[in-house]
Amino acid sequence: MVGDFAKKIVARKNATDEWAELSEVVDEVRSLTEETGETARYCTNMLETKGVHANLVEEMKRTSNRMLADLEHETNFPDEESLHQLKPRRRIDLYLFYKECLTNIIRHSGATRVSAELSVSDQDIRLIVSDNGHGLMGAQEPESLRRRAKMLGGS
């Protein structure tokens, strides 16, 4: 609303080209704000949906098949029954972490083969995602993965 108000003021002032640029910037800010709002609503709805990620293994396999359709890939979930016992929030965070791993592999690694294993013990949850890509410079993990790992209380 504030952006629309700013655009009306610019229009009333019989705007020059310099002021017209401001109007374009306001349009861009509005577009980003609307997109952010839609994303926030989607995330909120996803978190409130009953049974979301109830079958974490199936959703991770489906996501692997969809995202890695052009790559050789395999998944291994030896403790499938234990995964069903995880709290819904933990399952969601694990799923999003896994999806972020796959996204990074697709965008940056140049890999042709990907494997993933998710296991659970009394003490911890271990997700190992590996690929045959070229790796990262200086072995620095992506900030997005570090942030998601922190949300899970892990590394």
Side-chain angles (χ1 to χ4, degrees):
M1 287 174 48
V2 174
D4 289 343
F5 183 67
K7 284 178 62 174
K8 285 179 184 175
I9 291 173
V10 168
R12 271 199 322 244
K13 298 276 185 188
N14 204 6
T16 63
D17 287 341
E18 185 177 308
W19 283 95
E21 283 182 51
L22 174 63
S23 185
E24 290 174 21
V25 170
V26 168
D27 285 341
E28 188 174 334
V29 168
R30 177 166 190 155
S31 175
L32 288 171
T33 303
E34 287 174 354
E35 185 178 319
T36 301
E38 288 174 21
T39 302
R41 279 188 294 282
Y42 172 79
C43 289
T44 300
N45 290 339
M46 183 179 72
L47 292 173
E48 291 177 350
T49 302
K50 273 195 175 283
V52 70
H53 302 297
N55 193 334
L56 180 63
V57 170
E58 284 305 312
E59 291 195 44
M60 289 176 76
K61 285 180 181 178
R62 188 173 32 254
T63 297
S64 296
N65 289 334
R66 184 176 49 82
M67 292 180 71
L68 304 173
D70 297 336
L71 304 176
E72 181 183 329
H73 61 278
E74 64 179 324
T75 54
N76 185 23
F77 304 100
D79 305 313
E80 190 170 338
E81 196 55 44
S82 298
L83 293 169
H84 294 302
Q85 305 302 317
L86 296 174
K87 293 181 180 178
R89 181 66 205 190
R90 178 64 45 130
R91 289 193 305 259
I92 291 168
D93 288 341
L94 270 171
Y95 173 77
L96 293 174
F97 184 86
Y98 180 64
K99 193 172 174 185
E100 185 73 26
C101 289
L102 298 185
T103 299
N104 284 341
I105 288 170
I106 292 166
R107 287 184 182 163
H108 308 295
S109 77
T112 59
R113 190 172 50 254
V114 179
S115 67
E117 181 172 331
L118 179 60
S119 58
V120 180
S121 72
D122 292 339
Q123 310 287 289
D124 60 19
I125 301 168
R126 185 172 297 253
L127 173 62
I128 300 170
V129 181
S130 57
D131 64 69
N132 67 344
H134 55 71
L136 298 170
M137 296 289 221
Q140 181 81 12
E141 66 266 348
E143 180 60 34
S144 59
L145 288 178
R146 190 177 323 161
R147 187 175 53 252
R148 287 207 182 274
K150 186 177 180 181
M151 288 171 62
L152 284 161
S155 58

